[in-house]
Amino acid sequence: MSDPAPRKWEHRLRITLWVLIVPPTSWAAHFLFSYLWAAISCAKTGHFATMPWLFIGGTVLALAVIALAGWVAWHQSRTPGDPPPHQESTRIDRLRFLATATLLLAALSTVGVIFTALPVVFLRECT
Amino acid sequence: MRYAILLACLLAAACNTHQSALAPFGVEAGETRTLTLVMALAALGLAAITFALYFRAVRAPEGSLSHKGGMKLVLWMGAIVPTVLLAGLLLYALPAMRPMDSAPGDLEIRVEGEQFWWRVIYNPQDTQGRLVDANEIRIPTGRTVVFTLAAHDVVHSFWIPGLAGKMDMIPGRENRLVVKATKPGRYRGVCAELCGLAHALMAFEVVAMEPVAFDSWLAEQRTGTAAPPKDSRGARLFAREGCGACHAIRGTEHTGQIGPDLTRYAHRRSLGAGTLEPTLTNTAAFIRAPQDLKPGARMPTYTDLSREEALAIARYLKGRE
Ligand SMILES: [Cu+2]
């Protein structure tokens, strides 16, 4: 029995360990970006802008990357297969595991990015 | 039981109303206490719910929850509900990070941390209204007060637990702390950053006064109350020993800046930055041997002075001649 050729690109893209680390890496990058942005804008202007466009942009970008990884993972986690326990390491089991793990990491990273970004809404002074 | 009583006694020993973040007399400390209580109660509530779930899970017979039902429980109770609750608590707590607003006309008090005492300057920008004091801070209730905090030697930290959170005093920097007292009374502040040998003996008194009383107090201090008698035995000894090289007394030729201003010494409630009662005998003993009463104090010893001479100086400083 041969697989029918996948039609959509999110099915064609195979989830690997590389995709798995995209959401947490995006969260980490956003975290670093937040600190750099706060330090640099404080050093330059001494206060937080009422509408920090650069920061909003960075946050939206991080969330978009995470959402994309999560969306692909969600599609692939629905690849048909048996429920656990898995005694043999088949390609399908491996894919389903990686996809589910990526999906969960994407959810966690979304919360992480939002919680990191929230304080900026409330900050006005640098000191 | 015995341990519980012992623990309760130990905890109760820390109860006081003059130096406690749990007995606030200022807006910020009040908000922080409410925040602490809400957070602690929320944490207790969450812990109780978690334990209840565990308890149920452990006692439930096998197979009482389907695989699908279990997954749903994990998703909701393990992820979604905690995230929403924590987000709610975070949103509730974050506004407390905002410093209080101040306006240009607000009273400014500059406090400088020194090893191991506090220099206090009211209205530092205003040459007319400037008033220098030490180891005691008076503030009006109901008005916004801006503290400018600085240091020259090492890092100190300015903390009045009943009024607001602590703020570091860093050499080469000025930090601002905006406060508003709500309840008149006498309170205590401390240094909250290990700064040397006498760090633990570096405190100050805080007097929150009704605004009217505060205004008349400040005006009275400015216009200069009667200077201590210049020509008494104590005054002569003070001059002869060179105390004025470090200490200032308004209305005299003594203008030293190295040690605490002694103009208002007679009105202080403490000696050696919150270390001792400022009685005549304590003051005389401190003048002869500061190190004995406050190890590490940066004042030289005057053992050449007889007890009796030291008492004369103390009497002079206490305005009792
Ligand atoms: Cu200190």
Side-chain angles (χ1 to χ4, degrees), chain B residues 23-299:
Chain B
F25 70 97
V27 173
E28 191 191 311
E31 282 170 0
T32 310
R33 187 183 64 166
T34 313
L35 183 71
T36 310
L37 288 177
V38 170
M39 288 289 171
L41 287 177
L44 272 179
L46 289 176
I49 294 172
T50 315
F51 280 126
L53 280 174
Y54 273 137
F55 193 69
R56 250 201 71 136
V58 169
R59 309 186 109 212
E62 205 177 327
S64 60
L65 202 62
S66 67
H67 179 78
K68 219 175 149 196
M71 286 309 218
K72 240 194 195 143
L73 186 73
V74 169
L75 178 68
W76 281 94
M77 296 312 286
I80 295 174
V81 171
T83 304
V84 171
L85 284 179
L86 288 181
L89 288 174
L90 181 64
L91 282 174
Y92 166 70
L94 277 174
M97 274 170 61
R98 280 185 178 162
M100 259 174 80
D101 283 326
S102 64
D106 290 334
L107 172 68
E108 181 183 348
I109 305 178
R110 184 181 169 88
V111 185
E112 295 174 359
E114 300 279 346
Q115 279 175 323
F116 299 95
W117 58 281
W118 311 84
R119 179 180 290 119
V120 182
I121 310 170
Y122 298 84
N123 297 311
Q125 316 290 1
D126 169 8
T127 36
Q128 304 272 295
R130 198 179 145 94
L131 175 76
V132 182
D133 197 6
N135 297 338
E136 184 196 89
I137 299 174
R138 292 185 177 240
I139 48 173
T141 54
R143 283 195 206 148
T144 307
V145 175
V146 180
F147 283 117
T148 313
L149 306 173
H152 303 293
D153 40 30
V154 296
V155 179
H156 300 273
S157 192
F158 179 83
W159 191 28
I160 307 172
L163 184 62
K166 73 189 173 96
M167 178 71 85
D168 280 357
M169 303 170 126
I170 302 165
R173 249 195 89 97
E174 275 185 6
N175 280 340
R176 266 163 58 94
L177 179 68
V178 184
V179 301
K180 192 186 254 180
T182 47
K183 218 163 66 188
R186 287 182 175 268
Y187 307 94
R188 193 168 183 268
V190 290
C191 179
E193 181 73 49
L194 181 63
C195 58
L197 191 55
H199 162 69
L201 299 176
M202 181 172 167
F204 55 96
E205 200 182 20
V206 182
V207 186
M209 305 168 79
E210 298 286 357
V212 184
F214 177 84
D215 286 343
S216 54
W217 173 80
L218 194 62
E220 194 187 308
Q221 299 300 318
R222 264 182 214 165
T223 48
T225 36
K230 276 180 203 172
D231 201 35
S232 64
R233 176 136 186 267
R236 280 196 298 274
L237 282 166
F238 192 90
R240 191 192 80 193
E241 294 298 325
C243 311
C246 293
H247 294 290
I249 300 180
R250 264 198 307 287
T252 71
E253 77 270 26
H254 307 301
T255 52
Q257 294 296 312
I258 295 165
D261 188 296
L262 293 176
T263 314
R264 294 193 61 254
Y265 183 72
H267 302 281
R268 284 219 252 294
R269 290 278 198 101
S270 84
L271 161 62
T275 308
L276 292 161
E277 289 274 311
T279 59
L280 271 184
T281 25
N282 281 349
T283 308
F286 185 89
I287 293 171
R288 292 186 74 229
Q291 306 294 326
D292 290 357
L293 298 171
K294 181 170 176 175
R298 299 229 151 166
M299 170 163 150

